[in-house]
Amino acid sequence: VLIVPPEAAGERLDRFLAGRLGSRAAAERAIEGGALVDGIARAKSHRLAGGEDVSVPDLPAATPGPPPAAPPIVHEDEHLLVVDKPAGLVVHPGAGHAGDTLVDALRGQIAGGDPERPGIVHRLDRDTSGLLVVARSDEAFERLSDLVRERALERRYLALVHGRPRSRSG
């Protein structure tokens, strides 16, 4: 049973469940499978009031799977790693992503910062590929974090576009 917090008042049932179950598809399956709001089946567009009990039948516990294969390491020294993150790989654990992240693949090689996402000073979205700098020590994490905060760490992006964008910016 999930209890709807007051700050979720006004949120749609499907969006609330997607945030808890890790994906919109999982939320859809839960609603179609008989999720109940205070004992009543509701439409996915039902607006929550806050304080309700949302029961989801057969709600699977998040069990971590085996870590993914580590992506190619482009640069390695005693302070940091530069990894070539492929599209589709999540950087750090979060809702619905236990045991299948870059952090899990590099466990034991990286350190610094939040224990849930050690060494991560910036990230790339799941569907974005590219080079990612990861700290290997607390000192390296602090220095890299300072560079990111001061905007002194240069980042470059390349996007492939299909068709013709309506605007030159944005």
Side-chain angles (χ1 to χ4, degrees), residues 42-57:
R42 299 287 188 176
K44 66 182 182 179
S45 61
H46 173 74
R47 298 280 176 178
L48 298 167
E52 298 102 324
D53 289 338
V54 178
S55 60
V56 180

Side-chain angles (χ1 to χ4, degrees), residues 40-136:
I40 302 168
R42 299 287 188 176
K44 66 182 182 179
S45 61
H46 173 74
R47 298 280 176 178
L48 298 167
E52 298 102 324
D53 289 338
V54 178
S55 60
V56 180
D58 300 319
L59 182 62
T63 55
I73 296 174
V74 180
H75 173 82
E76 178 177 1
D77 62 29
E78 68 271 18
H79 304 291
L80 56 88
L81 297 175
V82 178
V83 297
D84 188 3
K85 186 194 97 57
L89 179 63
V90 176
V91 173
H92 56 76
H97 299 287
D100 59 349
T101 68
L102 176 74
V103 165
D104 293 307
L106 298 174
R107 187 102 29 219
Q109 298 181 62
I110 55 179
D114 183 346
E116 291 294 313
R117 43 186 160 171
I120 304 299
V121 294
H122 67 102
R123 66 174 186 83
L124 294 172
D125 290 341
R126 174 199 318 208
D127 296 325
T128 302
S129 63
L131 300 178
L132 190 70
V133 179
V134 184
R136 297 190 77 185

